[in-house]
Amino acid sequence: MTKLEKKIIFPVTRIHNPMLLEAWLEDGEIKDAFISDTLYRGFEQILIGRSAMDMPYYTQRICGICSSAHAITAALAVEQALGMHVPPNGQLIRNLILTGDFIQNHLRHIYLFTLPDYFRGPDIAPFVPHSEADLRLSSKEDTQMTEHYFKALDISRVAHAAFGVFGGKAPHGHGLVPGGASMEVDADKVNRYRGYLIEIMGFIDDVLLPDITLIMKRYPEYVDLGKGIGNYMSVGGFPNPEGSTLFPQGVILQGKRESFSEKHVTEDVTSAWYKPHGPLHPMEEDTVPDRSQPKGYTWVKSPRYRGQPVEVGPLARAIINKEEVIGHGALARTWARALETKKIAKAALEWLNRLEPGAETLDTKIGQDSGVGIGLHEAMRGTLGHWAAVKNGRVKHFQIVTPSAINFGARDETGTRSVGETSLLGLKIQSDDLKEAGRIIRSFDPCFSCSVHIIDGEKVHALKIQV
Ligand code: NFE
Ligand code: MG
């Protein structure tokens, strides 16, 4: 029998962050994979006892790249708990804040974190040292992709500026609060936002979509390599004032569609470093760290929907929305993310046109000072949920389930792997640095994010640094 060989990528992504992949290979094929978050943060405990009205501000600090997704989700939870209502203008402004944040996220993810796996940058920072494995673009295309990499940085900054028009600043804006949006609408803000959006839309059509098309042409097998398990979920998002939403809500389990109910969401901690409990609804569970758990290998819990792992993100949203998708693997996710960028930008132009200068954006009236609220909104990487109990205006219980936890949580009490771990099984590895696995994991846009070196887990020394 061949001995399994252990290989580690750490960290996996190209922003800061503590995501680790432990892959077990036999004859160059991944037989098993463990994905671990090596950092404990404890946000859910930090929130206890604080003013519910501050939740959009606190929870945004969970992350620098999906901050407004936490703001909206926390605001929804608090509004439900306290009986608050958002005026139509406030709803539109929130969508516009989120739009800026989604677009900067999608552009940065695609250009800064994904594409460097597929093209050769120049011999300057941040492209050196780089992996030479399996690069298929011509040198002219490499040069063009490098130019687009830097242009994408510029345009993602423009998207942040759009976020800032109604958010006050980015990331961690001030403009999205329980009851609506704190900024008023005037012609100057609308015009500034529109200018940013038009510049972004030009980049999407002229650069982003052709670039991903080229990558799919050169790496066709990656459109389907790294498939999930056929379970998809979206809780919806970007509501219009009359109630329809740009993003759909729904679930597909083993090919069958059903409507979403938050009652079916559970988390267990069998393989995570927490005080043990079986599958529990977020209103029932706690978060008690315990690094000594024998089966633990990560700080990420195991979110499940009706006991099953699901995939979330732009590809899941497209599938739930019955849009045609190009495949189900790594580059299909990236293509869905690119198309979604265009879809949101287009919708934002309409939201902008519907804003009413001078009309109310915020309603601070509260119905009661205690209650329970569930905020659900799609974030950049997929489904985000905040479950809150509020007593006398203060947070009594707060549980957050993030998209990266859903895609990459620990294996559960039945030993079932997340979609992220499963997507690597059977993958053939030819590179020294597990580039094939990196391409697949990064296609989910994991937010254990960040940089750049690969280590050998046995000898624990750096093998390679790549950007
Ligand atoms: Ni830090 Fe986030 C998103 C949330 S975590 S990026 O999108 O919520 O997956
Ligand atoms: Mg949580």
Side-chain angles (χ1 to χ4, degrees):
M1 202 181 104
T2 333
K3 195 172 160 287
L4 288 180
E5 182 194 3
K6 179 167 92 171
K7 288 210 171 186
I8 286 184
I9 308 184
F10 179 67
V12 174
T13 61
R14 294 187 168 90
I15 22 181
H16 101 88
N17 245 330
M19 180 184 198
L20 181 147
L21 164 69
E22 179 184 302
W24 290 87
L25 287 92
E26 183 181 40
D27 299 330
E29 185 179 316
I30 297 186
K31 293 291 183 193
D32 202 358
F34 294 83
I35 289 172
S36 170
D37 187 340
T38 57
L39 178 71
Y40 176 68
R41 301 182 70 201
F43 250 87
E44 285 149 336
Q45 292 95 320
I46 292 170
L47 304 176
I48 306 294
R50 299 189 188 274
S51 167
M53 299 301 273
D54 288 342
M55 286 306 107
Y57 289 164
Y58 279 108
T59 59
Q60 279 190 81
R61 269 74 191 172
I62 290 170
C63 188
I65 200 155
C66 69
S67 54
S68 61
H70 285 285
I72 181 76
T73 309
L76 291 169
V78 172
E79 285 154 4
Q80 194 181 75
L82 303 186
M84 302 177 77
H85 301 284
V86 178
N89 239 17
Q91 186 52 66
L92 292 166
I93 291 181
R94 288 175 169 200
N95 287 354
L96 291 166
I97 291 173
L98 270 165
T99 293
D101 216 5
F102 260 75
I103 291 174
Q104 68 75 20
N105 180 93
H106 282 9
L107 293 182
R108 287 177 191 182
H109 174 256
I110 290 172
Y111 279 93
L112 275 59
F113 310 144
T114 297
L115 291 191
D117 284 334
Y118 297 93
F119 78 96
R120 181 187 283 100
D123 291 334
I124 54 165
F127 300 101
V128 282
H130 52 228
S131 160
E132 290 296 332
D134 189 29
L135 296 173
R136 304 181 199 169
L137 266 51
S138 69
S139 65
K140 195 166 153 236
E141 288 162 348
D142 278 335
T143 306
Q144 199 179 46
M145 211 52 96
T146 306
E147 282 166 22
H148 294 174
Y149 176 103
F150 288 110
K151 182 73 184 159
L153 259 178
D154 273 349
I155 299 292
S156 73
R157 187 193 49 75
V158 172
H160 252 174
F163 172 173
V165 170
F166 293 108
K169 72 176 185 65
H172 310 142
H174 300 148
L176 208 160
V177 293
S182 60
M183 291 264 192
E184 290 182 349
V185 177
D186 60 37
D188 174 55
K189 292 198 192 87
V190 172
N191 284 336
R192 269 195 293 141
Y193 196 107
R194 183 175 288 116
Y196 294 139
L197 202 51
I198 286 168
E199 189 177 355
I200 291 165
M201 290 171 96
F203 180 83
I204 295 170
D205 282 335
D206 299 343
V207 182
L208 172 65
L209 297 176
D211 279 351
I212 309 304
T213 305
L214 172 70
I215 297 289
M216 291 194 297
K217 202 163 138 200
R218 293 283 189 276
Y219 298 87
E221 75 273 29
Y222 278 93
V223 171
D224 265 318
L225 257 189
K227 275 203 255 268
I229 59 174
N231 289 348
Y232 297 99
M233 183 168 88
S234 167
V235 290
F238 288 110
N240 295 303
E242 56 284 346
S244 62
T245 57
L246 183 69
F247 285 170
Q249 188 181 73
V251 184
I252 297 175
L253 292 181
Q254 289 156 1
K256 280 186 65 186
R257 279 178 185 271
E258 60 180 69
S259 53
F260 171 85
S261 163
E262 65 81 30
K263 290 192 175 47
H264 297 310
V265 176
T266 57
E267 294 194 293
D268 91 56
V269 293
T270 308
S271 309
W273 291 310
Y274 294 98
K275 191 186 86 188
H277 65 71
L280 288 175
H281 184 264
M283 275 300 184
E284 309 298 326
E285 65 175 326
D286 54 17
T287 305
V288 183
D290 180 358
R291 191 67 170 75
S292 71
Q293 283 305 314
K295 286 190 174 169
Y297 66 92
T298 175
W299 288 110
V300 188
K301 297 175 179 178
S302 320
R304 294 290 180 265
Y305 187 82
R306 288 220 280 126
Q308 296 193 44
V310 291
E311 174 170 346
V312 295
L315 179 66
R317 291 192 277 261
I319 291 171
I320 299 284
N321 208 26
K322 300 187 180 164
E323 290 164 25
E324 211 172 299
V325 295
I326 201 154
H328 297 86
L331 286 178
R333 291 189 189 98
T334 304
W335 181 240
R337 189 170 291 112
L339 289 180
E340 185 177 88
T341 313
K342 179 165 177 160
K343 177 178 174 170
I344 299 170
K346 249 176 88 184
L349 262 189
E350 279 177 39
W351 293 323
L352 204 56
N353 290 338
R354 294 184 59 183
L355 282 175
E356 278 187 49
E360 188 187 31
T361 61
L362 178 65
D363 184 350
T364 53
K365 279 191 295 299
I366 65 165
Q368 64 272 345
D369 68 0
S370 302
V372 165
I374 298 150
L376 298 164
H377 199 289
E378 286 293 303
M380 297 68 174
R381 293 160 185 74
T383 296
L384 176 62
H386 287 193
W387 281 259
V390 179
K391 190 154 184 229
N392 301 328
R394 301 260 153 198
V395 170
K396 213 170 145 235
H397 178 86
F398 212 102
Q399 281 291 331
I400 297 161
V401 179
T402 65
S404 294
I406 297 172
N407 283 331
F408 290 111
R411 43 200 76 190
D412 60 27
E413 58 166 4
T414 66
T416 305
R417 297 176 187 84
S418 65
V419 172
E421 288 181 352
T422 309
S423 71
L424 295 169
L425 301 182
L427 185 68
K428 301 251 187 332
I429 303 291
Q430 272 162 354
S431 65
D432 293 334
D433 57 2
L434 296 189
K435 183 182 251 183
E436 297 87 348
R439 283 173 175 165
I440 286 167
I441 293 185
R442 291 189 188 102
S443 72
F444 291 92
D445 191 3
C447 176
F448 312 42
S449 302
C450 158
S451 53
V452 279
H453 52 275
I454 291 184
I455 59 165
D456 174 328
E458 302 282 77
K459 302 193 196 92
V460 194
H461 63 244
L463 288 176
K464 215 158 223 166
I465 296 174
Q466 61 172 44
V467 181

